[in-house]
Amino acid sequence: DVKVTQSSRYLVKRTGEKVFLECVQDMDHENMFWYRQDPGLGLRLIYFSYDVKMKEKGDIPEGYSVSREKKERFSLILESASTNQTSMYLCASSPLIIPLGNQPQHFGDGTRLSIL
Amino acid sequence: QQPVQSPQAVILREGEDAVINCSSSKALYSVHWYRQKHGEAPVFLMILLKGGEQKGHDKISASFNEKKQQSSLYLTASQLSYSGTYFCGTEPFKAAGNKLTFGGGTRVLVKP
């Protein structure tokens, strides 16, 4: 079974802090994703990566950055945390199969982040 | 563009049926369906690729209309284990990276 592990289930930080959320997958997947989940808004894509050191902006990248130095690890960075970034953050991965697309995404359990 | 899911919530008795819709203003390449139980990760249910396609997974099935702008998820003879939030995720075109845009979700509660 694919395992996507997020480093923390719950995290509390202060406004203005630099926050790191870590995600590791064990299935050698090329694609990795960061979403935030808010009630009624579903899952919104922040950033995704389809290869090491590659990244692309999703629908709501403002205030976030990412890092992918190794294939199995994808980090989300809140440069200067603000209260409106309080949310549930989900990481996901999927394989790159030729032809492109059509592969299920496998999700981690999420990190509930509170910014005070 | 985010797909529109309806209804936002539904309450069922065990054994009853329900339909969840996922609509887009433009033709899609594919639709994915996921279910998320409270406090858990979303779990993949199925992918639909072709116009007119229908797929089943236990007593949960889905269809993709001919124009590929709407998908429906059918919960048949619902069980308590079907409770959770259902999301559709759409691919607008065949894109690198398998990027999905998710709908707002439909909360399903199945009561005894």
Side-chain angles (χ1 to χ4, degrees):
Chain A
D1 272 358
V2 177
K3 185 71 175 174
V4 178
T5 303
Q6 295 184 229
S7 52
S8 307
R9 286 301 302 268
Y10 301 94
L11 206 54
V12 180
K13 296 291 182 180
R14 295 209 173 272
T15 304
E17 280 192 71
K18 190 168 187 176
V19 181
F20 294 85
L21 302 184
E22 305 288 345
C23 175
V24 177
Q25 49 96 2
D26 66 356
M27 281 301 291
D28 204 37
H29 285 171
E30 288 77 10
N31 305 321
M32 295 190 75
F33 310 84
W34 274 107
Y35 296 92
R36 66 176 281 176
Q37 182 175 19
D38 300 289
L41 298 178
L43 283 71
R44 292 181 293 166
L45 183 64
I46 304 171
Y47 267 97
F48 68 105
S49 168
Y50 51 88
D51 202 352
V52 175
K53 296 193 186 292
M54 302 297 289
K55 60 184 180 184
E56 288 202 20
K57 293 180 180 179
D59 299 315
I60 52 165
E62 296 79 18
Y64 303 94
S65 63
V66 291
S67 172
R68 193 161 179 206
E69 296 296 320
K70 292 185 178 181
K71 191 175 185 180
E72 68 271 18
R73 186 180 296 271
F74 192 35
S75 303
L76 180 70
I77 304 157
L78 285 66
E79 298 291 345
S80 177
S82 65
T83 55
N84 63 11
Q85 292 178 309
T86 291
S87 187
M88 170 69 84
Y89 290 87
L90 289 166
C91 175
S93 72
S94 69
L96 176 63
I97 306 293
I98 303 300
L100 299 175
N102 316 326
Q103 301 308 309
Q105 294 188 12
H106 301 267
F107 286 84
D109 287 334
T111 296
R112 186 163 293 282
L113 176 64
S114 296
I115 307 296
L116 304 179
Chain B
Q1 188 174 5
Q2 191 176 27
V4 177
Q5 273 187 249
S6 63
Q8 289 185 321
V10 59
I11 300 174
L12 302 166
R13 293 283 180 191
E14 258 188 303
E16 291 182 337
D17 302 339
V19 181
I20 300 169
N21 295 308
C22 176
S23 297
S24 170
S25 58
K26 296 183 179 179
L28 301 166
Y29 177 67
S30 72
V31 175
H32 298 216
W33 285 98
Y34 293 79
R35 178 175 64 204
Q36 183 181 31
K37 293 183 179 287
H38 184 68
E40 298 181 10
V43 173
F44 170 76
L45 295 176
M46 64 192 86
I47 295 175
L48 296 107
L49 281 170
K50 300 175 184 176
E53 183 175 12
Q54 295 191 11
K55 269 191 177 178
H57 174 77
D58 195 7
K59 289 185 179 179
I60 298 175
S61 60
S63 64
F64 202 6
N65 75 346
E66 289 291 343
K67 289 186 176 181
K68 299 184 73 175
Q69 286 182 263
Q70 178 165 311
S71 177
S72 297
L73 187 74
Y74 306 93
L75 308 181
T76 305
S78 58
Q79 305 168 16
L80 296 176
S81 61
Y82 289 2
S83 292
T85 302
Y86 291 78
F87 294 99
C88 66
T90 58
E91 284 184 281
F93 51 87
K94 195 175 180 182
N98 192 205
K99 176 185 169 185
L100 295 176
T101 302
F102 285 90
T106 297
R107 295 180 67 179
V108 174
L109 176 61
V110 181
K111 293 185 172 181

